[in-house]
Amino acid sequence: MEHSTTITGLLAPVYYNKGIGLDWVNTQIDQLSNLPNPSAAQMATLQSLKDLKAELEALRNTPVSMNFITRFNELVTMYESLHVPGLEYFDPGFSTMGIDVKFALLKGNIAYFHFSGFNLTAYMVEDAAKQFFNVNNPITQKHLKAIGEVWEKWFDTVQQLHKAGTLGGVIIDLRGNGGGFQDDGYYITGSLLPEGGVPFSYSRFKRGTGRYDYSTLTLNYLKTMEANKHEVITEPVVVMTNCNSLSMAEITTIIVRNMENGTHIGKRSKGGICGLTSDNTPFTNNYMGHIGERDKTPVFVYLPSVATFTLDKKIIEGEGITPDIEVDLDAATFTATGKDTQLDRALQFLRTGH
């Protein structure tokens, strides 16, 4: 059983569904090309269809980014007169807030959940969605709902199997996860742990220009779900990381490692846990901000807003977190067969206990 959606997947109907998008364009091209005596207008339409086909195929394998979305939306406007079914405006908010999510119930009732970034809050909380997306657009509404439904399926399955006593374990796959909203912890580890919040780290802030001008350490707590919304998961929980897991992915890893039933499997995380500001906040605010301008000046530097430490007061910035069970991804095997050696090791641990 698998449920997933990706930002590229949200555009998949344009490319792969019968009767709309590229399929509709190809059908129209075939029909017009076979006309014995096409009119000038039909010839012009045929050329426009061929141009659109070339544009769509050029975008097909392009990573989703602001440039991708900008170009896609330009095509929607440029070829509006063709009335192509399924060729609809794509919200620019997805260029920065777009995430891929996947839930699968694996053999032994192991609930697997993967997501590419901690942006769930933008999909699950109405006020946050309004901040990042045009929520009045029905296409955007559909995409937001699709992401939320995958998480809900994972959460509901975990809870139902736990209550039935048949849950084989939980895998939270954070490989390649670049972090994001700290509030997302509510939906991930917050849905597995007791009500009332759990401590997970310490933070300190810059309080002056001197080398050692820092605040005292402040204990951080993860917000957890209310008792009436979930039961605490006592079955084994595995968190998976690699060298591209950082920030909130590393905080989540720390939280799982602090759980009595938590285990960390994969490769050492990146060691990028400090808080960054997304805008050029004045340096008087914890002395954070930017030096230079992104993609404009020869030098562009972030100054972090906060330093984060584990509960035993170790800083992992630049160090990362070494797994309890370290295992390489066999890239050649994965490319050739799709076999995921790291995931297989996590499944082995959950099924055998070692």
Side-chain angles (χ1 to χ4, degrees):
M1 180 194 304
E2 182 175 296
H3 301 265
S4 66
T5 188
T6 67
I7 297 307
T8 47
L10 294 172
L11 283 172
V14 175
Y15 289 98
Y16 304 113
N17 282 19
K18 292 289 185 180
I20 67 172
L22 190 56
D23 180 74
W24 183 90
V25 169
N26 284 329
T27 299
Q28 297 300 309
I29 289 174
D30 289 342
Q31 291 178 356
L32 290 173
S33 298
N34 290 324
L35 289 177
N37 296 300
S39 66
Q42 288 170 328
M43 290 296 293
T45 298
L46 176 60
Q47 186 58 53
S48 293
L49 288 165
K50 289 180 177 179
D51 291 343
L52 174 57
K53 177 182 178 178
E55 293 274 14
L56 289 174
E57 290 181 339
L59 279 177
R60 188 196 296 263
N61 297 316
T62 303
V64 174
S65 64
M66 179 58 82
N67 289 338
F68 174 99
I69 292 175
T70 298
R71 184 55 185 161
F72 183 86
N73 287 339
E74 287 175 352
L75 297 180
V76 173
T77 301
M78 288 170 58
Y79 295 97
E80 184 178 10
S81 62
L82 294 175
H83 304 293
V84 180
L87 191 67
E88 299 168 311
Y89 176 83
F90 201 67
D91 197 317
F94 288 114
S95 66
T96 55
M97 301 306 297
I99 55 174
D100 299 344
V101 294
K102 178 178 290 186
F103 158 64
L105 185 60
L106 305 176
K107 184 179 179 181
N109 280 345
I110 295 170
Y112 169 91
F113 187 69
H114 169 269
F115 61 117
S116 60
F118 281 79
N119 294 342
L120 284 170
T121 299
Y123 296 82
M124 308 295 291
V125 179
E126 184 177 355
D127 287 344
K130 290 178 180 178
Q131 180 180 352
F132 296 103
F133 300 106
N134 176 14
V135 295
N136 295 320
N137 186 318
I139 305 302
T140 297
Q141 291 174 10
K142 180 182 72 174
H143 296 344
L144 297 180
K145 182 180 178 183
I147 295 287
E149 285 177 345
V150 178
W151 174 85
E152 289 170 359
K153 189 63 180 179
W154 172 76
F155 173 77
D156 290 343
T157 300
V158 168
Q159 288 294 309
Q160 291 165 8
L161 293 175
H162 167 72
K163 292 172 184 177
T166 58
L167 179 63
V170 174
I171 295 177
I172 303 170
D173 187 350
L174 302 180
R175 292 176 295 175
N177 189 307
F181 291 118
Q182 186 168 310
D183 287 350
D184 273 25
Y186 176 85
Y187 299 103
I188 307 303
T189 45
S191 69
L192 309 175
L193 290 164
E195 179 187 23
V198 295
F200 66 88
S201 70
Y202 288 94
S203 293
R204 74 180 183 189
F205 303 87
K206 203 76 171 71
R207 288 293 182 256
T209 57
R211 183 175 181 182
Y212 299 109
D213 292 341
Y214 295 108
S215 69
T216 57
L217 291 178
T218 302
L219 189 60
N220 297 314
Y221 285 84
L222 168 77
K223 181 181 178 182
T224 53
M225 289 189 172
E226 299 83 347
N228 64 338
K229 291 189 176 181
H230 79 303
E231 289 189 7
V232 179
I233 301 304
T234 54
E235 294 83 357
V237 176
V238 167
V239 62
M240 299 181 64
T241 66
N242 61 13
C243 63
N244 287 318
S245 305
L246 69 153
S247 191
M248 189 58 193
E250 293 179 295
I251 289 175
T252 302
T253 301
I254 291 171
I255 294 169
V256 172
R257 289 171 67 99
N258 286 336
M259 297 166 60
E260 290 184 3
N261 55 331
T263 303
H264 177 197
I265 295 177
K267 296 295 288 185
R268 180 165 58 93
S269 63
K270 190 164 187 173
I273 204 169
C274 66
L276 299 175
T277 173
S278 59
D279 57 16
N280 202 12
T281 306
F283 287 89
T284 51
N285 184 359
N286 296 326
Y287 295 88
M288 67 180 179
H290 297 163
I291 297 173
E293 293 184 59
R294 185 190 296 273
D295 300 324
K296 291 185 179 180
T297 57
V299 175
F300 175 73
V301 179
Y302 271 114
L303 295 182
S305 62
V306 59
T308 303
F309 300 75
T310 61
L311 288 177
D312 55 0
K313 299 182 180 179
K314 293 181 180 178
I315 192 165
I316 64 169
E317 196 70 30
E319 295 290 335
I321 309 169
T322 300
D324 301 309
I325 300 174
E326 191 163 8
V327 56
D328 291 327
L329 174 68
D330 188 328
T333 299
F334 182 79
T335 300
T337 68
K339 181 179 175 63
D340 186 333
T341 50
Q342 292 175 326
L343 179 58
D344 285 349
R345 184 64 181 90
L347 291 170
Q348 175 189 325
F349 173 80
L350 290 174
R351 289 167 180 161
T352 66
H354 57 79

